[in-house]
Structure formats: C-alpha cells, structure tokens
Amino acid sequence: MLKLKNSFIFAPIKLGYAKGDGFVNQRHIAFYNVRSNYLGAVTLEPLYMDKGLREVPTQLGIDNDDKTEGLQKLTSAIHDSGAKVIAHLNHPGRMANPKIPGNYYISSTYKACENGGKVPVKMARSDIARAVNLFAMAAKRSEEAQFDIIELQFGHGYLLAQFISPQVNDRTDEYGGSFENRIRFPLEVLDAVRDSTNLPIIVRISGDEMIPDGIKLPEMIKLSRILQAEGVEAIHVSAGTVCSTPPWFFQHMFIQKGKTWEMAGEIKKNIDIPVIFVGRINRVEDINELKKEYSADYIAIGRALLADPNFVGKYLGEESGPIRPCLACAAGCLGGVKSGQGLQCLVNPKLGTESEIIEPAEQTKKFAVVGGGLAGMQAAITLKDRGHTVYLYEKDELGGQFKYAPLTPNKKSMSRLIPFFVKELENKKVNIIHKEATKEDLLSDYDGVILATGSIPSVPTIEGLDDYYWADILLKENLPEKENVFIIGGGLIGVDIATALIMRGNKVTIAKRTTDFGEDMEMIAKRLSLNIMKKKGVTFSDYTNIRKVEGNKIYAERQGENIIFEDIDIVVVSAGMTSYNPMEKELEGKLPVYVVGDSRKVGTAQDAINDAYVRTKNL
C-alpha cells in the first residue's frame, strides 16, 4: 500500500539542476523542500540509470552507488515535511539525447524517432537482459537511498513503450507482434524490480499515444488488469509520446484538457487498485472535478506546482492568497531545460532560486513604479515583499501588452495571469494611481523610481505605409472577417496574429526578411501554429523586403526579384518591438532610477517578469 497522508503527488518533472555529474546539490533540495509541505508524495525528476542514457546533460543519476548519499540526503529532507518520495525509473531507449557525447541508442526497432534522434540498435536478448538489470540495480539503490515508492515508466514513448507500441515495435521474435509479446519485456522489468526491492511499485502508462496504430486505451485497460495481478500498487495514466506527440506528453495549452482524465477514468472502472490522474491540473476547479466526476484516488500535479509551490496548500486552505497560475505554455519549464539553464517558469521568477530568501529591507522606502505591465506589477509585488511603500502609476488598464496574448487561438489559458497580478497587488495593498506619471510626480517625495514603461511596435520605414494595425487587430472591435490581410513580420506576434485571423475566414499572407517564421516562439507552440497556418492556406513569403504600399498593392523584393502582392485589404505590422523609456534621462541624477523589463531590453513575458524580480529583490 502507498499509505500517503493525502491524495496529492508531485509528478516527475525534469529539473536540469545537476552539474553534469548526476549528483544531488542544494538547488535540488531547496526546490523540492518548498513544494513538499502539503503533498502526500513527491516524485523526483527521472533518474538516469546509465550515464549513456541521459535525456539532458544535467539530469540526476541513480546509476552508481556513489549517488546514494546525495539521494538519501534529498529523500530525508522531503520526509521532514511528511511526504513520501518516489523514484521514477525510466530507460529512454531511442529517446536518449543525441547531443550528449557517450550516449547510446537501443530500441525494439531500427527506426529513429520521427522528430529527431539517432538511429537505434534493435535490441538483442543480451541487450534486453542488460536493460532489465539496470532497472533492478536502480530499484535496489532506490531502497538504499530511502525512497518509499518506485515508479516505472511504461509510457510516453520511452523504451518500454517502444516495445508496447504496435506503431514502433516491428519485431518478429517473442518480443514483438501480439500484445502478449509486446508487453513481455516490460513485465520482465517489473518482475526484476519486484525481486530486487520491497518497495511498492507504481507503473506510469500512456492511455493513448495519440498516433495512428500506436498504444490505445483498450490494450492499456488490459495491461492495467495484468499489472494489478502482478502486484502493482497503482496505475498512473498520462498520454502521448515524446517522440511523436510532444504536445500530449507535455499537456500543452494547445491540446484538449481533460482527455487524460477520461482515460484514467475508464481504467479505474476496470481495475481494483488506485489510479493516479494527471494532466494540466492547474486550477482548484480541476481538482474538484476530478474528485466529483471521477472519484480520483490520487492526483498528480506538475507544472502548477512550478508556478505556485503552495498551489495544493492554497487548495486545502492551509495557505492564503491567489494562486499564481500555470499557463500550460511550456515556455520556461521546457525551454529552460532544453537550453541548459535548468527548469524555469514564465510566471514564477523564483523558480530555481528557492534557497534565496526575500528578507525585509533594513530601511523601508517609498517607491514609484511607472508602468502596469507584467514587469511593473512584478516589481511592485517584490518591493512590497521587501516591506517598502509602493505607488504604481498606470493610466490604462493593468496588464500592458500581455492583454493581447489570450486573444490568439489556443492561448485562452493566458487570460489568468493579469487577474492574478491585479489580485496580488490588491492583497499586498499596492497603491494604484490611474494616471500617466509626470516628472513632477516622481520628484515629489519618492526615494526611488522603477521605470517599467515597456516597449512600442517597431515600424519599418516603408513608402506609403500609413494605415496599419499591430496586435490591436486582435481586439474584438478591430478583428476582421473574410478580408485579405498582409502581415509584415513573422516572429511570435506575427504568427499569433495570423493564427487568429485565419480562424475567421481571412486570407493571410505573412512576409519576413529571413526564413524562420516564429523563430522566437516556444518550440511546441511554434510547430503547432505553423502547422495550423499551412493547413489553412497561409501564404509564407520569406526573404522578403517590403518597398512600397500603394492602395491595395504591396511592392516588395524577394531574393533579387521584384514582386507585387495585390488585393490587400488590411496591413498588419509586427516587425518587432523597441524599448520605450522616455523618463530615464529626465530623472537621471535626481533620484535612484531602476529600469526593468522591456523598457530596459525587449524580451519575452518571462524575461519581463524575471528581470523585474531580479532587479528589485535587493532594493
């Protein structure tokens, strides 16, 4: 039996905080400490069982006895909160990172992953035996390191799923073909783990890989019954494969919420052991629905605990304040790990720096914050946390340019961020002054000024370009229907505008001076957006320089050739942004001035929030 103090489990999420040696460090301990207080169990990030099987260079390891002491220190710290600790054991197979020197690649097949990766070696029986032994040895070390539970990864397109999936497994021996043959190797792993440890075992599966001829729910119901008979304590039901359907694997904001819950609900009807529900559980309403509609035994929460470590505590009424919302955008939690910077979060600038404590300022001051966008609001909150008196100047509604983000298709979840900030400002009693700050206002009686005036659209000098829209075309009163729209600029804003416009029957042409449309977008959102645009017939014009706008014609040059775009009804300019900071020179030398967010350097929403936090946390 799992015997957890409550039904909440922290799902396995890659941190990327190790230093290339696989050892636990203080950053890991601090990260898990702040998230374990209100949970029944904490699952550590996937632990590599062989240095040649890493997914990221900075992954935690359980490949050698020398890791035991550090892992034991980490499990002990989590135990202090009353939570149990789960060792998530996973063999990536063909999904081992091809960019890590020394990695090797084995699978049920010779086929490489569709979205990248090395061609694997089809495993011989000796390879299978070695892989089984890796799991057994890792399970033994888990018990020595005082883990309480082991979770085996049978899903998400990793090695054991590569055998289970009929789409991937093309073997003709006793490990391929029939369902019974395809699950033979995973069951051998389960047997070996069970024989090597007394710890209870959870199995994680993909209820559906969301690909033709892949793993499907009926077979997973059948497998779950077999796993129950084999003594598994719980089934953890997710979806997708990191190889072919990463949006489902990451539960991205572009995909249907609740699909994994439905799968878990069907499995729950067919077995007598607990089922763990997972997948974009990031609102109080989600938890209530899982309890009411599915009588969920256990609820695994991942990214919502990155955005707000006290998410469960707030749900339980043990912590106060609004929940800092997870947007399911994957911008920081995927992008940070991929870039080698470690796990980050668009909305939570403290992620990864949990060991840093925001102490009250030795001397409280009175600050003015100019600008109520994301950077300005975060700066005001951080200053209040330090104990300062804060006045926030914003002549328009709070939120700045981020108010446009939820207006694009599949990004409705982003509408939760501005209300969170507004509520937090209210709770912390930040004084909001709804006017444009003047030099006289700021020089009156403030000890310092935070300039968070943001950025403005960069408009290229083009003959005849007088009548155009920017992202404001997404506002309800401006949104066209069945028009011929020409977008100048193909970055994040241009792509988002295009995907919104095509949903209303507009014919869209998007032109860019280079060729990488959406180059500054998060990877999954970029891929899905461009696919939508291509299916809807958007015209992409790369290496295009616009020369002149004349009536409904646009004259341009493309790789030395003069071209004309005709019958254009509307022009949209999304050619980047320029920092807007008119007050710094006026105030310079008169009082301390700190420039944050886009007004200092144009970046993403995550950059703006993080910059504001970093530049004000020690004031």
Side-chain angles (χ1 to χ4, degrees), residues 169-374:
N169 188 339
D170 55 8
R171 302 176 74 94
T172 57
D173 61 6
E174 69 268 37
Y175 292 100
S178 69
F179 171 72
E180 289 72 21
N181 283 356
R182 287 183 279 113
I183 67 171
R184 188 183 306 276
F185 172 38
L187 291 183
E188 288 177 358
V189 168
L190 174 60
D191 289 342
V193 169
R194 190 175 51 211
D195 291 343
S196 65
T197 176
N198 294 314
L199 297 180
I201 300 170
I202 294 169
V203 171
R204 197 177 206 201
I205 64 172
S206 289
D208 191 312
E209 288 188 311
M210 313 306 287
I211 53 175
D213 305 319
I215 289 172
K216 297 297 177 185
L217 186 58
E219 282 194 342
M220 290 302 96
I221 292 173
K222 190 175 177 181
L223 176 60
S224 297
R225 289 176 179 150
I226 293 170
L227 293 173
Q228 174 180 315
E230 291 286 332
V232 167
E233 296 286 352
I235 307 295
H236 188 172
V237 184
S238 187
T241 157
V242 69
C243 179
S244 306
T245 52
W248 286 97
F249 170 77
F250 290 107
Q251 288 293 295
H252 194 269
M253 61 184 171
F254 274 53
I255 60 101
Q256 178 186 346
K257 186 174 189 173
K259 189 69 175 176
T260 56
W261 311 348
E262 295 174 9
M263 297 174 194
E266 287 302 309
I267 288 175
K268 180 175 170 60
K269 293 175 185 177
N270 285 274
I271 59 175
D272 298 319
I273 57 175
V275 173
I276 302 170
F277 287 70
V278 74
R280 244 170 98 189
I281 302 166
N282 53 24
R283 302 179 308 154
V284 166
E285 294 86 346
D286 298 335
I287 297 174
N288 291 337
E289 180 178 349
L290 288 168
K291 288 179 176 289
K292 180 180 178 181
E293 299 297 327
Y294 299 99
S295 300
D297 301 297
Y298 294 105
I299 297 172
I301 299 173
R303 288 174 296 168
L305 285 164
L306 306 184
D308 191 331
N310 291 319
F311 171 60
V312 172
K314 290 174 181 178
Y315 170 80
L316 295 172
E318 300 291 329
E319 292 280 348
S320 61
I323 293 170
R324 190 177 281 255
C326 169
L327 309 181
C329 61
C333 49
L334 175 57
V337 175
K338 287 271 187 184
S339 67
Q341 300 175 70
L343 188 69
Q344 300 174 340
C345 179
L346 185 152
V347 306
N348 180 9
K350 299 180 183 180
L351 183 64
T353 63
E354 285 82 2
S355 58
E356 297 180 8
I357 306 298
I358 300 296
E359 300 284 359
E362 292 182 6
Q363 179 182 356
T364 57
K365 299 179 180 179
K366 183 179 178 182
F367 280 97
V369 176
V370 182
L374 297 184

Side-chain angles (χ1 to χ4, degrees), residues 425-534:
L425 292 170
E426 178 185 326
N427 286 354
K428 291 184 182 295
K429 295 181 170 51
V430 172
N431 303 288
I432 311 296
I433 301 178
H434 290 287
K435 63 166 286 189
E436 184 171 354
T438 66
K439 176 181 175 182
E440 290 69 30
D441 291 327
L442 302 178
L443 292 176
S444 57
D445 62 344
Y446 291 108
D447 299 307
V449 173
I450 312 298
L451 295 179
T453 44
S455 57
I456 56 176
S458 179
V459 181
T461 302
I462 297 172
E463 182 182 346
L465 181 63
D466 302 316
D467 187 14
Y468 58 87
Y469 286 97
W470 175 63
D472 56 350
I473 197 172
L474 299 177
L475 297 175
K476 188 176 180 180
E477 61 269 26
N478 297 335
L479 199 57
E481 189 171 345
K482 296 180 180 178
E483 300 278 15
N484 194 348
V485 183
F486 191 93
I487 301 175
I488 301 173
L492 183 152
I493 296 175
V495 167
D496 272 355
I497 291 171
T499 54
L501 295 179
I502 56 180
M503 298 304 177
R504 294 177 61 87
N506 294 292
K507 182 181 178 183
V508 175
T509 300
I510 185 166
K512 183 176 174 60
R513 298 178 76 172
T514 58
T515 190
D516 185 10
F517 289 89
E519 83 281 0
D520 45 358
M521 296 181 73
E522 178 272 317
M523 179 187 69
I524 295 176
K526 173 182 177 179
R527 186 176 300 159
L528 293 175
S529 295
L530 294 180
N531 284 341
I532 292 169
M533 291 165 67
K534 289 171 184 175

Side-chain angles (χ1 to χ4, degrees), residues 2 75 79 83-87 142 146-150 198-200:
L2 301 184
T75 58
H79 285 151
K84 292 191 174 181
V85 193
I86 302 172
S142 299
Q146 298 183 0
F147 284 87
D148 304 287
I149 302 164
I150 288 173
N198 294 314
L199 297 180

Side-chain angles (χ1 to χ4, degrees), residues 392-398 431-437:
L392 174 61
Y393 287 83
E394 175 53 66
K395 66 175 181 177
D396 300 316
E397 61 183 296
L398 294 170
N431 303 288
I432 311 296
I433 301 178
H434 290 287
K435 63 166 286 189
E436 184 171 354

Side-chain angles (χ1 to χ4, degrees), residues 565-584:
F565 299 93
E566 301 189 86
D567 301 320
I568 303 301
D569 300 309
I570 296 171
V571 176
V572 176
V573 175
S574 63
M577 306 297 292
T578 300
S579 292
Y580 178 70
N581 182 18
M583 303 195 73
E584 184 178 15

